[in-house]
Amino acid sequence: MPEPPARTAGPGDRLVRIGALVFIAGAVATLVTVAPLFLGTDPFPTVAYALSMLMAVGFVIAGAGLFRSIAAQRRQARSASTAVSPDGPSAT
């Protein structure tokens, strides 16, 4: 059985991956900062809570990658539709 062709990375794929990694780092930081509340220990310093904001930053980065990918696909579809004859297929 032949292998499917390798998919090349699109314009926004790298941003989506980076955004996912940053989001995961923020999620871990959030879990770490919330844990002392449940364990009854002293809370972490403010810097730890600031790291929790990485979730939002990662979400925005991934969203930017998604919109960049959408824009590239629209440009590609638009150029493909203008390359087709406006009269449609010929009836010969």
Side-chain angles (χ1 to χ4, degrees):
M1 182 162 89
E3 292 186 26
R7 185 183 174 298
T8 59
D13 289 351
R14 185 174 292 162
L15 281 175
V16 171
R17 287 184 182 145
I18 291 171
L21 291 174
V22 172
F23 182 87
I24 290 170
V28 169
T30 300
L31 291 174
V32 168
T33 55
V34 171
L37 299 173
F38 294 113
L39 300 175
T41 60
D42 292 333
F44 287 105
T46 307
V47 175
Y49 291 98
L51 287 176
S52 297
M53 290 297 151
L54 288 177
M55 282 180 68
V57 172
F59 188 75
V60 168
I61 292 171
L66 182 67
F67 284 124
R68 186 173 178 195
S69 177
I70 290 170
Q73 288 179 4
R74 280 187 168 182
R75 280 191 302 269
Q76 184 180 14
R78 192 172 295 135
S79 66
S81 67
T82 57
V84 174
S85 172
D87 298 332
S90 61
T92 56

